[in-house]
Amino acid sequence: MVHEWSLAEALLRYVASVYGPRIKTLKLRVGVLQSIDKEVLLFSIRELAGLYNVSLGDVVLEDEEAVFKCNRCGYEWSFNPGDLGEEVRESIHFLPEAVFAYTRCPRCGSRDFKVVKGRGLEVAEVVPG
Amino acid sequence: MVHEWSLAEALLRYVASVYGPRIKTLKLRVGVLQSIDKEVLLFSIRELAGLYNVSLGDVVLEDEEAVFKCNRCGYEWSFNPGDLGEEVRESIHFLPEAVFAYTRCPRCGSRDFKVVKGRGLEVAEVVPG
Amino acid sequence: MAVKKTYVVLSSKGGVGKSTLSSLLAFYAAERGARAGLVDLDFTNPSTHIVLGVDPREVRYVEEKGIFPALVGKLRYVTPAAFTRDSPLPLRGENVSRALFELISILRLDGLDYLFIDTPPGMSDEHMDIVYRLGEVVKPVVVTTPSPLSVSSVRKMISLLRESGLREIFLVENMGGGGLADVFKEPGITYLGYVPFYPGFDNCIGSLENVRRCPLRSFFESIVDKLVSEG
Amino acid sequence: MAVKKTYVVLSSKGGVGKSTLSSLLAFYAAERGARAGLVDLDFTNPSTHIVLGVDPREVRYVEEKGIFPALVGKLRYVTPAAFTRDSPLPLRGENVSRALFELISILRLDGLDYLFIDTPPGMSDEHMDIVYRLGEVVKPVVVTTPSPLSVSSVRKMISLLRESGLREIFLVENMGGGGLADVFKEPGITYLGYVPFYPGFDNCIGSLENVRRCPLRSFFESIVDKLVSEG
Ligand SMILES: Nc1ncnc2c1ncn2[C@@H]1O[C@H](COP(=O)(O)OP(=O)(O)O)[C@@H](O)[C@H]1O
Ligand SMILES: Nc1ncnc2c1ncn2[C@@H]1O[C@H](COP(=O)(O)OP(=O)(O)O)[C@@H](O)[C@H]1O
Ligand SMILES: [Mg+2]
Ligand SMILES: [Mg+2]
Ligand SMILES: [Mg+2]
Ligand SMILES: [Mg+2]
Ligand code: NI
Ligand code: NI
Ligand SMILES: [Zn+2]
Ligand SMILES: [Zn+2]
């Protein structure tokens, strides 16, 4: 599951373009929906920082729970991709929106829900310097 | 331009269902995009309160400027429907989203923009009792 | 919307005939004396006005505690193209959804016997709003051609309609010869009939005269009959 | 996306042949030795796999610093249907937009000569993302049939493409006889050719064998030629 490389690439480009090439601390929220491999992600970020000449201090990765909210009945629930089969989990790994093919609101059955948090990779904090 | 009646009806139903049939103060934000006739709106609200047995104290209407933000270049601008011809203004009065047929980002020309505020009628404050 | 029956014409596949079918069913129903209406909810590509030969720049709505549909012959008619003077209207889904609820909340359709709603292809904001928020008040009329591209697309849409709790689904076969009656013979699906492929179909649309004299008229009318008697 | 040329097949009108055209152009280009790719961006109604006769449950992508397209014959192919096991995927526009950027940011298409992108009908999130964010790297190939419903719809889309700054617009006439060459004779529009209406078209799709033996093949190939030589 090494497309973590392309996630890392997009992220690092963004961070460097906004904060410049010297980053002391980079804190990321890793939404569990996408089942991102954190070791691979960390490795990719470090490699890419080398390639792009970004000096990078601490990198902190924290999990973020996946929370969905139904647009019809308002029910909010926490979604665990671990409950799904390997194949489905991998599909969502590549395309998080594929989750709408596999999940419905546990209360009213609607597929009209929002991913409130935990979809993918997000920057929580950047300390430049 | 008396479809203000139906706007008032939807609004009053909503307010009564959430706050009950006794309202001391009702404060509304009236987005300028829709060119809502405030006198007609106020009249409609009062009439409908009578019909629906909602006891209604003060009703305060305040204008809200229409602000758009470009999804492409990030430019934010204030939109004045008064700059448009009568026919176009009336179209937007009925269907605020028709504005996407008549307006583009003044900086980059994109039609991909967000109505940040001032689209329509909104409840600013309700004091029940 | 105090309408006796609201039929929403649906198909995840484009180009199968949703706009022509909704327009002609509504128009023929009105010609036969029913109080019938047509509302076009395909905001980014409205086309029922082209079917009926109506210039959207000439459409005027009467405002009175809401807005009343325009009259086209005896048909009550509403199209968003009237608000855009027929110019392009690109809209992201969130705005489509806002426009949809705005329009249906200001329309005055009281007293209609039959309302037909035209919708865009796909399965996006409009469809989710219709299925999950208006599902209790609308009856779905799903349209497909016999092409495998259409049939497989429409199967998915039907499975969504079913799981959302819609128990009565009407089906129309367009540009076909009746062969889909067997393909969709399932509990919960009512096959309303077919409309054959007609190479001169452009002569069936574009003006009320064309619509009135369309050689396929009896096919559409027998679908109206079946709808009226079935549900 | 380090691709030499990216063609996005567009039409606000549904059912005009976007999916068959994008699939067949890409497939024939690949058969003739070009490094060609096809990406289906019609998330709520993907159908290129049906055209090509590919079972999306069998499609496997190779992951390596991104994902590589699957091989279908010599064609590099990506469809979102592979991620949904071909089940229905209703998506609001905001999610369509997220899915689109996710997919194009992880795809490894380096070294392709020609990439064809299939899109849904309408003018909504996908189209705005493509026109306003990817407009610099894609070339629009607009498809229409001769029907007034399609022509008037496509005129609006073309006017949007123009005002957004896209200066070179390609046009294909499907299910027609060449009559639109004159209708769209305008500066900035390059007419690529037409594909006639063929009642047996179902035999042109559904398997690679069908596609290879399609009697209309020469029409599609001459469109490929024109594209390659024009831009
Ligand atoms: N029975 C038919 N025979 C021949 N052409 C038809 C028939 N029904 C519809 N058409 C044509 O097919 C095209 C698609 O129809 P339309 O109603 O616009 O479909 P949709 O609304 O589903 O996209 C139009 O050009 C229309 O004129
Ligand atoms: N040249 C043609 N002759 C006859 N039928 C065609 C032709 N091109 C496409 N079709 C058929 O028309 C329908 C719509 O084509 P499709 O590619 O799915 O359009 P879109 O992707 O624009 O919705 C399909 O059933 C397809 O098989
Ligand atoms: Mg239509
Ligand atoms: Mg869409
Ligand atoms: Mg298609
Ligand atoms: Mg849409
Ligand atoms: Ni991976
Ligand atoms: Ni009014
Ligand atoms: Zn729910
Ligand atoms: Zn801008």
Side-chain angles (χ1 to χ4, degrees):
Chain A
M1 308 228 266
V2 286
H3 88 283
E4 277 73 0
W5 180 270
S6 41
L7 299 176
E9 193 163 12
L11 180 109
L12 207 75
R13 278 193 185 168
Y14 165 75
V15 169
S17 76
V18 175
Y19 300 93
R22 304 188 58 83
I23 310 285
K24 201 148 71 188
T25 311
L26 177 62
K27 208 164 156 185
L28 302 175
R29 262 192 299 273
V30 184
V32 304
L33 178 58
Q34 243 188 322
S35 308
I36 291 170
D37 185 321
K38 282 185 286 183
E39 272 179 50
V40 178
L41 180 68
L42 195 59
F43 170 83
S44 307
I45 290 175
R46 295 259 173 235
E47 287 282 297
L48 283 156
L51 282 173
Y52 290 172
N53 289 313
V54 173
S55 104
L56 192 59
D58 290 343
V59 178
V60 183
L61 303 179
E62 52 187 35
D63 278 339
E64 183 179 66
E65 175 196 26
V67 174
F68 296 172
K69 184 176 179 169
C70 180
N71 286 329
R72 177 159 67 169
C73 78
Y75 185 72
E76 215 174 280
W77 73 101
S78 145
F79 177 80
N80 180 5
D83 297 345
L84 302 168
E86 169 63 25
E87 279 206 351
V88 172
R89 202 160 65 241
E90 182 163 299
S91 293
I92 297 172
H93 174 64
F94 289 132
L95 195 69
E97 281 63 40
V99 73
F100 288 91
Y102 302 111
T103 312
R104 299 160 59 189
C105 167
R107 188 157 83 182
C108 80
S110 154
R111 286 190 197 271
D112 184 13
F113 57 85
K114 253 198 176 51
V115 177
V116 178
K117 61 179 191 170
R119 176 188 179 278
L121 199 57
E122 263 176 42
V123 177
E125 204 191 325
V126 181
V127 183
Chain B
M1 307 226 266
V2 286
H3 89 283
E4 277 73 0
W5 181 270
S6 41
L7 298 176
E9 193 164 12
L11 180 110
L12 207 75
R13 278 194 185 167
Y14 165 75
V15 169
S17 76
V18 175
Y19 299 93
R22 303 188 59 84
I23 310 286
K24 202 146 69 188
T25 312
L26 177 62
K27 209 165 157 183
L28 302 176
R29 263 192 299 272
V30 184
V32 304
L33 178 58
Q34 242 186 325
S35 309
I36 291 170
D37 185 322
K38 282 185 286 184
E39 272 179 52
V40 177
L41 181 68
L42 194 61
F43 170 82
S44 307
I45 291 174
R46 295 258 173 235
E47 287 282 297
L48 283 156
L51 281 174
Y52 290 173
N53 288 313
V54 173
S55 103
L56 193 59
D58 290 343
V59 178
V60 185
L61 303 179
E62 53 187 35
D63 278 338
E64 183 179 65
E65 175 196 26
V67 174
F68 296 172
K69 183 176 179 169
C70 180
N71 287 328
R72 177 158 68 170
C73 78
Y75 185 71
E76 216 174 280
W77 72 100
S78 146
F79 177 80
N80 180 5
D83 298 345
L84 303 168
E86 169 62 26
E87 279 207 352
V88 172
R89 202 159 68 239
E90 181 163 300
S91 293
I92 298 173
H93 175 63
F94 289 132
L95 195 69
E97 280 63 41
V99 75
F100 288 91
Y102 302 110
T103 313
R104 299 161 60 188
C105 167
R107 188 157 82 183
C108 79
S110 155
R111 286 190 198 270
D112 184 13
F113 58 83
K114 252 197 176 51
V115 177
V116 179
K117 60 178 192 171
R119 176 189 178 278
L121 199 56
E122 264 176 42
V123 177
E125 205 191 324
V126 181
V127 184
Chain C
M1 289 195 289
V3 175
K4 280 204 200 109
K5 276 168 189 168
T6 302
Y7 301 104
V8 54
V9 177
L10 288 170
S11 179
S12 39
K13 184 81 191 91
V16 295
K18 285 179 291 300
S19 298
T20 48
L21 187 78
S22 53
S23 305
L24 299 196
L25 294 184
F27 185 78
Y28 294 142
E31 288 257 297
R32 286 163 25 155
R35 295 171 60 97
L38 172 66
V39 174
D40 195 328
L41 291 184
D42 188 350
F43 289 95
T44 75
N45 188 38
S47 47
T48 52
H49 62 282
I50 303 170
V51 174
L52 297 172
V54 171
D55 182 344
R57 283 160 299 199
E58 315 264 279
V59 174
R60 291 287 175 281
Y61 300 108
V62 174
E63 251 195 293
E64 202 200 305
K65 300 188 174 178
I67 69 172
F68 284 98
L71 268 182
V72 172
K74 295 175 185 154
L75 176 68
R76 274 98 178 151
Y77 179 53
V78 177
T79 172
F83 301 120
T84 59
R85 323 267 105 200
D86 212 17
S87 17
L89 184 67
L91 285 183
R92 288 196 178 263
E94 54 175 3
N95 292 319
V96 168
S97 188
R98 281 190 196 117
L100 187 150
F101 285 110
E102 183 83 29
L103 199 58
I104 61 178
S105 77
I106 63 172
L107 282 186
R108 293 207 46 187
L109 301 168
D110 349 5
L112 285 193
D113 297 317
Y114 308 111
L115 174 65
F116 292 86
I117 295 181
D118 189 25
T119 65
M123 284 191 292
S124 201
D125 296 77
E126 314 79 341
H127 311 91
M128 290 166 99
D129 288 334
I130 289 169
V131 170
Y132 294 123
R133 304 236 207 144
L134 307 174
E136 318 249 291
V137 292
V138 299
K139 289 165 183 291
V141 177
V142 175
V143 193
T144 183
T145 70
S147 160
L149 287 169
S150 176
V151 169
S152 76
S153 172
V154 149
R155 282 213 173 284
K156 291 181 198 164
M157 178 167 252
I158 288 176
S159 91
L160 272 184
L161 295 175
R162 280 183 187 287
E163 72 164 38
S164 83
L166 281 159
R167 254 171 292 158
E168 193 179 23
I169 296 166
F170 297 108
L171 190 98
V172 172
E173 172 180 355
N174 191 19
M175 311 189 214
L180 296 184
D182 282 342
V183 175
F184 286 95
K185 192 168 246 151
E186 295 166 27
I189 300 187
T190 305
Y191 181 84
L192 293 177
Y194 70 95
V195 179
F197 179 80
Y198 170 45
F201 196 80
D202 282 357
N203 297 317
C204 279
I205 62 173
S207 74
L208 295 188
E209 259 328 290
N210 282 354
V211 171
R212 282 196 186 101
R213 285 192 309 230
C214 172
L216 300 179
R217 178 165 183 160
S218 63
F219 290 94
F220 290 98
E221 289 192 320
S222 94
I223 291 170
V224 173
D225 287 337
K226 192 116 200 254
L227 254 189
V228 167
S229 67
E230 291 279 335
Chain D
M1 289 195 286
V3 175
K4 279 201 201 110
K5 275 167 191 169
T6 301
Y7 302 105
V8 54
V9 177
L10 289 170
S11 179
S12 39
K13 183 80 191 93
V16 295
K18 284 178 291 300
S19 298
T20 48
L21 187 78
S22 53
S23 305
L24 299 196
L25 294 183
F27 186 78
Y28 294 141
E31 288 257 296
R32 284 161 29 152
R35 295 171 59 96
L38 172 65
V39 174
D40 194 328
L41 291 184
D42 188 349
F43 288 95
T44 76
N45 188 38
S47 48
T48 52
H49 61 283
I50 303 170
V51 174
L52 298 171
V54 171
D55 182 344
R57 282 160 299 198
E58 314 263 280
V59 174
R60 292 285 175 282
Y61 300 108
V62 174
E63 250 195 294
E64 202 199 304
K65 299 188 175 177
I67 70 172
F68 283 98
L71 269 182
V72 172
K74 294 173 185 157
L75 177 68
R76 274 99 177 148
Y77 178 53
V78 177
T79 172
F83 301 120
T84 59
R85 324 267 104 201
D86 211 17
S87 13
L89 184 67
L91 286 182
R92 287 195 178 263
E94 54 174 4
N95 292 319
V96 167
S97 187
R98 281 189 196 118
L100 187 150
F101 285 110
E102 183 84 29
L103 200 57
I104 62 178
S105 76
I106 63 172
L107 282 185
R108 292 207 46 188
L109 302 168
D110 347 6
L112 284 194
D113 297 318
Y114 308 112
L115 174 65
F116 292 86
I117 295 182
D118 189 26
T119 65
M123 283 191 293
S124 199
D125 297 77
E126 314 79 343
H127 312 90
M128 290 167 98
D129 288 334
I130 289 169
V131 170
Y132 294 122
R133 304 238 207 143
L134 307 174
E136 318 249 290
V137 292
V138 299
K139 288 166 184 291
V141 177
V142 175
V143 193
T144 183
T145 70
S147 160
L149 287 169
S150 176
V151 169
S152 76
S153 171
V154 150
R155 282 213 174 284
K156 291 181 198 163
M157 178 168 253
I158 289 176
S159 91
L160 272 185
L161 295 175
R162 280 183 188 285
E163 72 163 37
S164 83
L166 282 158
R167 251 170 295 158
E168 192 179 24
I169 296 166
F170 296 109
L171 190 98
V172 172
E173 171 179 354
N174 191 19
M175 312 189 213
L180 296 185
D182 283 341
V183 175
F184 286 96
K185 192 167 246 152
E186 295 165 27
I189 300 187
T190 304
Y191 182 83
L192 293 176
Y194 70 95
V195 179
F197 179 80
Y198 171 44
F201 196 80
D202 282 357
N203 297 316
C204 280
I205 62 173
S207 74
L208 296 188
E209 261 327 291
N210 282 355
V211 172
R212 282 196 185 99
R213 285 193 310 230
C214 173
L216 300 179
R217 178 164 184 160
S218 64
F219 290 93
F220 290 98
E221 289 191 321
S222 94
I223 291 170
V224 173
D225 288 337
K226 192 116 199 252
L227 254 191
V228 167
S229 67
E230 291 280 336

